[in-house]
Protein backbone atom coordinates (compact mmCIF):
# COMPACT_ATOMS: atom_id res chain seq x y z
CA UNK A 1 0.00 0.00 0.00
CA UNK A 2 1.43 3.36 -1.00
CA UNK A 3 1.26 6.27 1.46
CA UNK A 4 -1.40 7.92 -0.73
CA UNK A 5 -3.48 4.73 -0.68
CA UNK A 6 -3.18 4.60 3.11
CA UNK A 7 -4.35 8.22 3.39
CA UNK A 8 -7.26 7.43 1.05
CA UNK A 9 -8.20 4.45 3.25
CA UNK A 10 -8.37 6.68 6.34
CA UNK A 11 -10.47 9.24 4.51
CA UNK A 12 -12.93 6.56 3.37
CA UNK A 13 -13.29 5.65 7.03
CA UNK A 14 -13.93 9.30 7.90
CA UNK A 15 -10.69 9.55 9.88
CA UNK A 16 -7.51 11.60 9.91
CA UNK A 17 -6.01 9.44 12.66
CA UNK A 18 -5.37 5.78 13.36
CA UNK A 19 -3.26 3.64 15.65
CA UNK A 20 -1.97 0.15 16.32
CA UNK A 21 -1.60 -0.41 20.08
CA UNK A 22 -0.10 -3.52 21.61
CA UNK A 23 -2.25 -5.34 24.15
CA UNK A 24 -0.03 -7.12 26.73
CA UNK A 25 -2.96 -9.33 27.76
CA UNK A 26 -3.94 -10.42 24.26
CA UNK A 27 -0.31 -10.33 23.08
CA UNK A 28 -1.30 -8.65 19.84
CA UNK A 29 -1.50 -5.30 18.11
CA UNK A 30 -5.02 -3.91 18.23
CA UNK A 31 -5.93 -1.57 15.35
CA UNK A 32 -8.20 1.42 15.83
CA UNK A 33 -10.11 0.49 12.65
CA UNK A 34 -11.23 -2.93 11.39
CA UNK A 35 -9.88 -1.86 7.98
CA UNK A 36 -6.39 -2.00 9.51
CA UNK A 37 -6.63 -5.59 10.77
CA UNK A 38 -4.43 -6.93 7.96
CA UNK A 39 -1.88 -4.17 8.55
CA UNK A 40 -1.75 -4.95 12.27
CA UNK A 41 -1.10 -8.64 11.55
CA UNK A 42 1.59 -7.80 9.01
CA UNK A 43 3.36 -5.44 11.41
CA UNK A 44 3.26 -7.94 14.26
CA UNK A 45 4.63 -10.60 11.93
CA UNK A 46 7.53 -8.40 10.86
CA UNK A 47 11.01 -9.42 12.12
CA UNK A 48 11.42 -5.80 13.23
CA UNK A 49 8.47 -5.96 15.63
CA UNK A 50 9.55 -6.52 19.23
CA UNK A 51 6.44 -5.92 21.36
CA UNK A 52 6.38 -2.27 20.33
CA UNK A 53 3.86 -0.42 22.45
CA UNK A 54 2.18 1.50 19.65
CA UNK A 55 2.24 3.11 16.22
CA UNK A 56 0.25 6.32 15.70
CA UNK A 57 -0.76 7.88 12.37
CA UNK A 58 -2.24 11.24 11.47
CA UNK A 59 -2.91 13.10 8.22
CA UNK A 60 -1.74 16.66 8.87
CA UNK A 61 -4.63 19.05 9.22
CA UNK A 62 -3.07 21.82 7.12
CA UNK A 63 -0.41 19.99 5.09
CA UNK A 64 -2.12 16.71 4.24
CA UNK A 65 1.18 14.93 4.97
CA UNK A 66 1.16 11.53 6.65
CA UNK A 67 2.71 11.77 10.13
CA UNK A 68 3.67 8.88 12.39
CA UNK A 69 5.14 8.15 15.82
CA UNK A 70 6.30 4.74 17.05
CA UNK A 71 6.89 3.69 20.65
CA UNK A 72 9.01 0.74 21.69
CA UNK A 73 9.72 0.13 25.38
CA UNK A 74 8.92 3.05 27.72
CA UNK A 75 9.41 1.68 31.24
CA UNK A 76 12.57 3.80 31.48
CA UNK A 77 10.72 6.96 30.41
CA UNK A 78 8.88 8.69 27.59
CA UNK A 79 9.54 7.44 24.07
CA UNK A 80 12.17 9.83 22.73
CA UNK A 81 13.79 10.05 19.31
CA UNK A 82 13.98 12.29 16.27
CA UNK A 83 11.49 12.68 13.44
CA UNK A 84 12.70 11.50 10.03
CA UNK A 85 11.34 13.30 6.93
CA UNK A 86 11.82 10.94 4.01
CA UNK A 87 10.17 9.50 0.93
CA UNK A 88 8.84 5.94 1.23
CA UNK A 89 7.48 3.72 -1.53
CA UNK A 90 5.03 1.99 0.80
CA UNK A 91 3.43 2.42 4.18
CA UNK A 92 5.20 -0.81 5.17
CA UNK A 93 8.62 0.74 4.51
CA UNK A 94 7.77 3.71 6.74
CA UNK A 95 6.45 1.52 9.55
CA UNK A 96 9.49 -0.74 9.33
CA UNK A 97 11.74 2.30 9.72
CA UNK A 98 9.75 3.41 12.76
CA UNK A 99 10.00 -0.03 14.36
CA UNK A 100 13.74 -0.36 13.82
CA UNK A 101 14.59 3.21 14.78
CA UNK A 102 12.42 3.37 17.91
CA UNK A 103 13.98 0.19 19.26
CA UNK A 104 17.43 1.56 18.47
CA UNK A 105 16.62 4.81 20.26
CA UNK A 106 15.50 2.93 23.36
CA UNK A 107 18.76 1.01 23.41
CA UNK A 108 20.77 4.14 22.79
CA UNK A 109 19.01 6.06 25.57
CA UNK A 110 19.54 3.19 28.01
CA UNK A 111 23.26 2.80 27.28
CA UNK A 112 23.70 6.56 27.63
CA UNK A 113 22.15 6.49 31.10
CA UNK A 114 19.22 8.68 30.04
CA UNK A 115 15.75 8.35 31.54
CA UNK A 116 14.03 7.98 28.19
CA UNK A 117 12.37 5.10 26.40
CA UNK A 118 12.35 4.23 22.71
CA UNK A 119 10.50 6.45 20.28
CA UNK A 120 10.75 7.60 16.67
CA UNK A 121 8.83 9.85 14.33
CA UNK A 122 8.43 9.60 10.57
CA UNK A 123 6.98 12.18 8.20
CA UNK A 124 6.30 10.59 4.83
CA UNK A 125 7.64 12.98 2.22
CA UNK A 126 5.59 13.49 -0.92
CA UNK A 127 7.26 12.84 -4.25
CA UNK A 128 8.73 15.84 -6.03
CA UNK A 129 10.38 19.00 -4.76
CA UNK A 130 7.56 20.50 -2.74
CA UNK A 131 9.30 19.49 0.49
CA UNK A 132 12.01 22.05 -0.31
CA UNK A 133 9.56 24.96 -0.12
CA UNK A 134 10.15 26.78 3.22
CA UNK A 135 6.48 27.75 3.57
CA UNK A 136 5.30 24.18 3.03
CA UNK A 137 7.91 22.83 5.45
CA UNK A 138 6.70 25.21 8.14
CA UNK A 139 3.16 23.95 7.62
CA UNK A 140 4.25 20.30 7.79
CA UNK A 141 6.26 20.73 10.97
CA UNK A 142 3.59 22.81 12.68
CA UNK A 143 1.22 19.94 11.87
CA UNK A 144 3.74 17.50 13.32
CA UNK A 145 3.93 19.53 16.52
CA UNK A 146 0.14 19.41 16.89
CA UNK A 147 0.27 15.65 16.32
CA UNK A 148 2.92 15.24 19.04
CA UNK A 149 0.92 17.43 21.43
CA UNK A 150 -2.11 15.20 20.92
CA UNK A 151 -0.08 12.24 22.23
CA UNK A 152 0.23 14.03 25.60
CA UNK A 153 3.94 13.46 26.08
CA UNK A 154 4.02 9.75 25.32
CA UNK A 155 6.50 10.68 22.57
CA UNK A 156 9.11 13.46 22.61
CA UNK A 157 10.45 14.38 19.19
CA UNK A 158 13.75 15.84 17.96
CA UNK A 159 15.84 16.33 14.83
CA UNK A 160 16.73 13.48 12.48
CA UNK A 161 17.44 12.74 8.80
CA UNK A 162 15.66 15.20 6.52
CA UNK A 163 14.88 17.57 9.38
CA UNK A 164 16.69 20.84 10.11
CA UNK A 165 16.99 23.27 13.06
CA UNK A 166 14.43 25.66 11.46
CA UNK A 167 12.03 22.70 11.19
CA UNK A 168 12.46 22.09 14.91
CA UNK A 169 11.64 25.75 15.53
CA UNK A 170 8.36 25.22 13.65
CA UNK A 171 7.57 22.09 15.69
CA UNK A 172 8.26 24.06 18.86
CA UNK A 173 5.47 26.54 17.99
CA UNK A 174 2.84 23.83 18.38
CA UNK A 175 4.21 21.47 21.04
CA UNK A 176 6.35 21.51 24.15
CA UNK A 177 7.29 17.85 23.68
CA UNK A 178 10.29 18.52 21.46
CA UNK A 179 14.05 18.79 21.96
CA UNK A 180 16.92 20.03 19.76
CA UNK A 181 15.10 23.36 19.50
CA UNK A 182 17.12 26.49 18.57
CA UNK A 183 19.37 28.09 21.14
CA UNK A 184 17.45 31.35 20.63
CA UNK A 185 14.50 29.83 22.51
CA UNK A 186 16.56 28.04 25.15
CA UNK A 187 17.34 24.80 23.32
CA UNK A 188 20.57 23.00 22.57
CA UNK A 189 20.53 23.69 18.83
CA UNK A 190 22.13 21.51 16.19
CA UNK A 191 23.34 18.23 17.78
CA UNK A 192 25.48 17.13 14.81
CA UNK A 193 28.91 18.25 16.13
CA UNK A 194 28.37 16.40 19.41
CA UNK A 195 27.14 13.29 17.58
CA UNK A 196 30.30 13.27 15.48
CA UNK A 197 32.52 13.67 18.53
CA UNK A 198 30.84 10.68 20.18
CA UNK A 199 31.47 8.56 17.08
CA UNK A 200 35.14 9.55 17.25
CA UNK A 201 35.28 8.30 20.86
CA UNK A 202 33.81 4.97 19.74
CA UNK A 203 36.30 4.70 16.86
CA UNK A 204 39.16 5.31 19.28
CA UNK A 205 37.83 2.59 21.58
CA UNK A 206 37.55 0.08 18.72
CA UNK A 207 41.05 0.80 17.40
CA UNK A 208 42.58 0.49 20.86
CA UNK A 209 40.61 -2.70 21.54
CA UNK A 210 42.26 -4.18 18.46
CA UNK A 211 45.69 -2.90 19.42
CA UNK A 212 45.81 -0.58 16.40
CA UNK A 213 46.60 2.59 18.31
CA UNK A 214 45.04 6.00 17.76
CA UNK A 215 43.26 7.64 14.81
CA UNK A 216 46.48 9.39 13.77
CA UNK A 217 47.78 7.88 10.54
CA UNK A 218 44.58 5.98 9.77
CA UNK A 219 42.58 5.99 6.53
CA UNK A 220 38.87 6.64 6.98
CA UNK A 221 35.95 6.19 4.58
CA UNK A 222 32.73 8.08 5.34
CA UNK A 223 29.38 7.25 3.75
CA UNK A 224 27.49 10.56 3.82
CA UNK A 225 28.88 14.06 4.31
CA UNK A 226 25.81 15.69 5.81
CA UNK A 227 25.83 17.62 9.09
CA UNK A 228 27.23 14.73 11.13
CA UNK A 229 29.51 13.38 8.40
CA UNK A 230 31.11 16.77 7.78
CA UNK A 231 31.67 17.35 11.50
CA UNK A 232 33.17 13.86 11.76
CA UNK A 233 35.63 14.60 8.96
CA UNK A 234 36.82 17.70 10.80
CA UNK A 235 37.28 15.79 14.06
CA UNK A 236 39.19 13.00 12.32
CA UNK A 237 41.56 15.48 10.70
CA UNK A 238 42.17 17.16 14.06
CA UNK A 239 43.24 13.78 15.40
CA UNK A 240 45.72 13.26 12.58
CA UNK A 241 43.81 10.98 10.21
CA UNK A 242 46.03 10.25 7.21
CA UNK A 243 43.27 10.39 4.60
CA UNK A 244 39.49 10.73 4.47
CA UNK A 245 37.31 9.73 1.53
CA UNK A 246 33.60 10.54 1.67
CA UNK A 247 30.58 10.41 -0.62
CA UNK A 248 27.54 12.68 -0.65
CA UNK A 249 24.33 12.69 -2.74
CA UNK A 250 23.62 16.43 -2.42
CA UNK A 251 25.72 18.32 -4.99
CA UNK A 252 25.51 21.64 -3.14
CA UNK A 253 26.49 19.99 0.12
CA UNK A 254 29.32 18.14 -1.63
CA UNK A 255 30.78 21.41 -2.94
CA UNK A 256 30.48 23.12 0.44
CA UNK A 257 32.23 20.30 2.33
CA UNK A 258 34.97 20.10 -0.32
CA UNK A 259 35.58 23.83 0.07
CA UNK A 260 35.60 23.56 3.85
CA UNK A 261 38.42 21.01 3.78
CA UNK A 262 40.33 22.38 0.80
CA UNK A 263 44.02 21.73 1.24
CA UNK A 264 43.51 18.73 3.52
CA UNK A 265 43.89 15.12 2.39
CA UNK A 266 40.13 14.79 1.96
CA UNK A 267 38.19 13.61 -1.09
CA UNK A 268 34.45 14.29 -1.31
CA UNK A 269 32.74 12.47 -4.17
CA UNK A 270 29.31 13.44 -5.46
CA UNK A 271 27.29 10.25 -6.05
CA UNK A 272 23.77 9.30 -7.03
CA UNK A 273 21.19 8.30 -4.44
CA UNK A 274 21.77 4.68 -3.43
CA UNK A 275 25.43 4.66 -4.45
CA UNK A 276 27.38 2.67 -1.83
CA UNK A 277 30.71 2.49 -3.66
CA UNK A 278 32.57 4.13 -0.77
CA UNK A 279 31.84 1.07 1.36
CA UNK A 280 34.39 -0.83 -0.72
CA UNK A 281 37.12 1.77 -0.18
CA UNK A 282 40.34 0.34 1.26
CA UNK A 283 40.64 1.88 4.70
CA UNK A 284 41.19 1.26 8.39
CA UNK A 285 37.76 2.52 9.48
CA UNK A 286 34.50 2.66 7.55
CA UNK A 287 32.00 5.14 9.00
CA UNK A 288 28.39 4.90 7.72
CA UNK A 289 26.81 8.32 8.27
CA UNK A 290 23.82 8.29 5.91
CA UNK A 291 20.76 6.05 5.79
CA UNK A 292 20.43 2.58 7.30
CA UNK A 293 20.53 -0.88 5.78
CA UNK A 294 23.70 -0.28 3.75
CA UNK A 295 25.55 -3.23 5.31
CA UNK A 296 23.98 -6.33 3.82
CA UNK A 297 24.83 -9.49 1.85
CA UNK A 298 25.55 -7.42 -1.26
CA UNK A 299 27.96 -4.92 0.34
CA UNK A 300 29.65 -6.78 3.20
CA UNK A 301 31.72 -9.10 0.93
CA UNK A 302 33.26 -6.01 -0.68
CA UNK A 303 34.34 -4.23 2.53
CA UNK A 304 38.07 -3.58 2.90
CA UNK A 305 38.30 -2.21 6.45
CA UNK A 306 39.16 -3.34 9.97
CA UNK A 307 36.47 -1.39 11.83
CA UNK A 308 32.92 -0.27 11.04
CA UNK A 309 31.76 2.57 13.27
CA UNK A 310 29.50 5.43 12.25
CA UNK A 311 26.58 7.71 12.99
CA UNK A 312 23.92 6.12 10.75
CA UNK A 313 21.04 4.44 12.54
CA UNK A 314 20.49 0.74 11.75
CA UNK A 315 23.32 0.36 9.19
CA UNK A 316 22.83 -3.43 9.24
CA UNK A 317 19.93 -4.51 7.05
CA UNK A 318 19.48 -7.58 9.28
CA UNK A 319 20.99 -7.15 12.72
CA UNK A 320 21.84 -10.80 13.44
CA UNK A 321 22.72 -12.04 9.96
CA UNK A 322 24.83 -9.07 8.93
CA UNK A 323 26.59 -8.80 12.28
CA UNK A 324 27.67 -12.43 11.89
CA UNK A 325 28.83 -11.76 8.34
CA UNK A 326 31.07 -8.92 9.55
CA UNK A 327 32.41 -11.12 12.34
CA UNK A 328 33.23 -13.90 9.86
CA UNK A 329 35.20 -11.43 7.77
CA UNK A 330 37.23 -10.31 10.79
CA UNK A 331 35.71 -6.82 10.78
CA UNK A 332 35.00 -5.24 14.17
CA UNK A 333 31.55 -3.65 14.22
CA UNK A 334 30.56 -0.98 16.74
CA UNK A 335 26.72 -0.96 16.89
CA UNK A 336 25.13 2.34 15.94
CA UNK A 337 23.30 2.77 19.25
CA UNK A 338 26.63 2.49 21.08
CA UNK A 339 28.43 5.10 18.97
CA UNK A 340 25.91 7.74 17.89
CA UNK A 341 24.19 8.65 21.15
CA UNK A 342 25.32 12.27 21.47
CA UNK A 343 22.53 13.76 19.39
CA UNK A 344 19.94 12.70 21.95
CA UNK A 345 22.29 13.31 24.87
CA UNK A 346 22.83 16.97 24.02
CA UNK A 347 19.12 17.68 23.92
CA UNK A 348 17.75 15.18 26.41
CA UNK A 349 17.89 17.46 29.42
CA UNK A 350 17.14 20.84 27.83
CA UNK A 351 14.34 21.42 30.34
CA UNK A 352 16.89 21.46 33.17
CA UNK A 353 18.77 24.42 31.74
CA UNK A 354 22.23 24.68 30.22
CA UNK A 355 25.79 25.31 31.37
CA UNK A 356 28.91 26.31 29.47
CA UNK A 357 31.17 23.27 29.17
CA UNK A 358 28.34 21.28 30.72
CA UNK A 359 29.79 18.41 32.77
CA UNK A 360 26.63 16.35 32.13
CA UNK A 361 27.58 16.43 28.42
CA UNK A 362 31.36 16.32 28.63
CA UNK A 363 31.43 13.18 30.78
CA UNK A 364 30.18 11.21 27.76
CA UNK A 365 33.40 12.10 25.93
CA UNK A 366 35.70 11.05 28.76
CA UNK A 367 37.13 7.73 29.82
CA UNK A 368 36.28 7.55 33.52
CA UNK A 369 32.46 7.65 33.74
CA UNK A 370 30.89 4.19 33.46
CA UNK A 371 28.45 5.30 30.77
CA UNK A 372 30.94 7.26 28.63
CA UNK A 373 30.96 6.40 24.91
CA UNK A 374 34.54 5.10 25.01
CA UNK A 375 33.95 3.04 28.17
CA UNK A 376 30.73 1.44 26.92
CA UNK A 377 32.29 0.67 23.53
CA UNK A 378 35.24 -1.09 25.15
CA UNK A 379 32.87 -2.95 27.47
CA UNK A 380 30.73 -4.17 24.56
CA UNK A 381 33.72 -5.31 22.48
CA UNK A 382 35.35 -7.06 25.41
CA UNK A 383 32.08 -8.75 26.40
CA UNK A 384 31.60 -9.93 22.81
CA UNK A 385 35.10 -11.43 22.76
CA UNK A 386 34.62 -13.06 26.16
CA UNK A 387 31.24 -14.62 25.30
CA UNK A 388 32.07 -15.48 21.71
CA UNK A 389 29.18 -13.42 20.33
CA UNK A 390 29.00 -10.48 17.94
CA UNK A 391 29.31 -6.93 19.28
CA UNK A 392 25.75 -6.34 18.07
CA UNK A 393 24.49 -9.17 20.27
CA UNK A 394 26.55 -8.06 23.27
CA UNK A 395 25.39 -4.44 22.94
CA UNK A 396 21.74 -5.41 22.48
CA UNK A 397 21.83 -7.66 25.53
CA UNK A 398 23.32 -4.91 27.70
CA UNK A 399 20.98 -2.22 26.36
CA UNK A 400 17.85 -4.34 26.67
CA UNK A 401 18.72 -5.13 30.28
CA UNK A 402 19.21 -1.44 31.06
CA UNK A 403 16.00 -0.46 29.24
CA UNK A 404 14.02 -2.49 31.78
CA UNK A 405 15.23 -0.35 34.69
CA UNK A 406 12.12 1.65 35.68
CA UNK A 407 12.09 5.43 35.66
CA UNK A 408 12.74 6.47 39.29
CA UNK A 409 9.64 8.70 39.41
CA UNK A 410 7.29 7.74 36.54
CA UNK A 411 8.05 4.12 35.65
CA UNK A 412 4.86 3.40 33.68
CA UNK A 413 3.45 6.84 32.93
CA UNK A 414 3.78 6.55 29.15
CA UNK A 415 1.99 3.21 29.15
CA UNK A 416 -0.81 4.81 31.17
CA UNK A 417 -1.00 7.75 28.73
CA UNK A 418 -1.30 5.38 25.76
CA UNK A 419 -4.04 3.43 27.54
CA UNK A 420 -5.91 6.68 28.19
CA UNK A 421 -5.60 7.71 24.53
CA UNK A 422 -7.06 4.36 23.53
CA UNK A 423 -9.96 4.58 26.02
CA UNK A 424 -10.82 8.11 24.97
CA UNK A 425 -10.69 7.21 21.26
CA UNK A 426 -7.85 9.52 20.33
CA UNK A 427 -8.28 8.45 16.69
CA UNK A 428 -11.70 10.11 16.53
CA UNK A 429 -10.46 13.46 17.81
Amino acid sequence: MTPDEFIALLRREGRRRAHLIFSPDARRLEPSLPALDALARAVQGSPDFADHEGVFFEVGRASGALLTATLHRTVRGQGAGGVRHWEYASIGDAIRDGLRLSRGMGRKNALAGLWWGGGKGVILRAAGDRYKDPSYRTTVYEDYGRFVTSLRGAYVTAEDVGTTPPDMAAVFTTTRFVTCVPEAVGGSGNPSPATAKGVVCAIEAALEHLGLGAIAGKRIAVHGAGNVGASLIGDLLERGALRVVATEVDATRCAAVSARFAGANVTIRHVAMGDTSVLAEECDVLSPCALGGVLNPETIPNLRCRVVCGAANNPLLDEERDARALEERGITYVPDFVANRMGIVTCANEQYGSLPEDPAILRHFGRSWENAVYVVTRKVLEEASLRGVTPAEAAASLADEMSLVPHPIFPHRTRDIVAALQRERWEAG
Side-chain angles (χ1 to χ4, degrees), residues 223 274-281 286 293-305 315-317 321-322 325-326 329 331:
H223 180 231
D275 186 307
T276 58
S277 57
V278 74
L279 303 183
E281 190 78 23
L286 170 63
V294 296
L295 299 175
N296 53 59
E298 292 183 4
T299 59
I300 290 174
N302 300 320
L303 300 189
R304 296 190 292 170
C305 60
L316 304 181
L317 185 60
R321 178 198 65 200
D322 299 329
L326 289 171
R329 291 215 52 214
I331 297 171

Side-chain angles (χ1 to χ4, degrees), residues 88-109:
Y88 295 89
S90 71
I91 189 68
D93 289 342
I95 292 173
R96 189 175 300 113
D97 234 9
L99 295 174
R100 288 166 61 89
L101 293 167
S102 61
R103 190 180 190 188
M105 285 306 306
R107 287 171 165 173
K108 184 186 308 183
N109 292 334

Side-chain angles (χ1 to χ4, degrees), residues 2 10 33 35-36 47 73 96 122 168-169 206 223 235 238-239 248 266 275 279 291 329 344 388-389 405:
T2 68
L10 293 184
L33 295 168
L36 299 181
R73 185 178 289 160
R96 189 175 300 113
V122 171
M168 287 296 96
H223 180 231
D235 289 340
E238 286 181 5
R239 285 161 176 77
E248 172 57 38
V266 175
D275 186 307
L279 303 183
L291 294 180
R329 291 215 52 214
I344 191 72
V389 299
V405 177

Side-chain angles (χ1 to χ4, degrees), residues 88-267:
Y88 295 89
S90 71
I91 189 68
D93 289 342
I95 292 173
R96 189 175 300 113
D97 234 9
L99 295 174
R100 288 166 61 89
L101 293 167
S102 61
R103 190 180 190 188
M105 285 306 306
R107 287 171 165 173
K108 184 186 308 183
N109 292 334
L111 289 181
L114 302 175
W115 293 112
W116 293 108
K120 202 69 183 180
V122 171
I123 297 174
L124 285 80
R125 195 174 79 192
D129 292 338
R130 190 184 182 197
Y131 73 93
K132 296 180 180 180
D133 176 29
S135 176
Y136 174 71
R137 290 185 74 92
T138 297
T139 301
V140 169
Y141 284 95
E142 287 176 348
D143 267 351
Y144 197 76
R146 282 186 281 267
F147 169 56
V148 171
T149 292
S150 74
L151 299 178
R152 296 186 182 172
Y155 167 61
V156 180
T157 194
E159 189 177 335
D160 193 51
V161 173
T163 302
T164 66
D167 297 331
M168 287 296 96
V171 172
F172 185 60
T173 64
T174 53
T175 191
R176 65 182 298 274
F177 299 114
V178 56
T179 59
C180 295
V181 296
E183 294 174 298
V185 292
S188 57
N190 185 358
S192 298
T195 302
K197 192 171 182 180
V199 172
V200 168
C201 292
I203 290 174
E204 290 174 329
L207 290 172
E208 292 179 21
H209 171 76
L210 295 173
L212 298 177
I215 289 173
K218 301 297 188 296
R219 300 160 300 167
I220 319 289
V222 181
H223 180 231
N227 288 331
V228 176
S231 294
L232 178 64
I233 292 169
D235 289 340
L236 293 170
L237 293 174
E238 286 181 5
R239 285 161 176 77
L242 177 65
R243 182 170 183 262
V244 179
V245 176
T247 54
E248 172 57 38
V249 299
D250 186 312
T252 302
R253 181 74 184 171
C254 192
V257 177
S258 295
R260 174 179 170 182
F261 298 113
N265 196 3
V266 175
T267 301

Side-chain angles (χ1 to χ4, degrees), residues 280-365:
E281 190 78 23
E282 186 172 356
C283 59
D284 298 293
V285 179
L286 170 63
S287 189
C289 292
L291 294 180
V294 296
L295 299 175
N296 53 59
E298 292 183 4
T299 59
I300 290 174
N302 300 320
L303 300 189
R304 296 190 292 170
C305 60
R306 293 291 307 277
V307 173
V308 171
C309 179
N313 287 313
N314 301 115
L316 304 181
L317 185 60
D318 183 289
E319 184 177 289
E320 294 182 9
R321 178 198 65 200
D322 299 329
R324 287 195 302 270
L326 289 171
E327 187 81 3
E328 289 167 1
R329 291 215 52 214
I331 297 171
T332 296
Y333 170 63
V334 179
D336 52 305
F337 54 90
V338 174
N340 67 4
R341 71 166 69 167
M342 292 309 299
I344 191 72
V345 167
T346 57
C347 61
N349 296 318
E350 284 178 341
Q351 70 268 35
Y352 299 116
S354 61
L355 288 169
E357 299 298 311
D358 192 341
I361 303 297
L362 296 181
R363 63 181 180 172
H364 290 267
F365 300 130

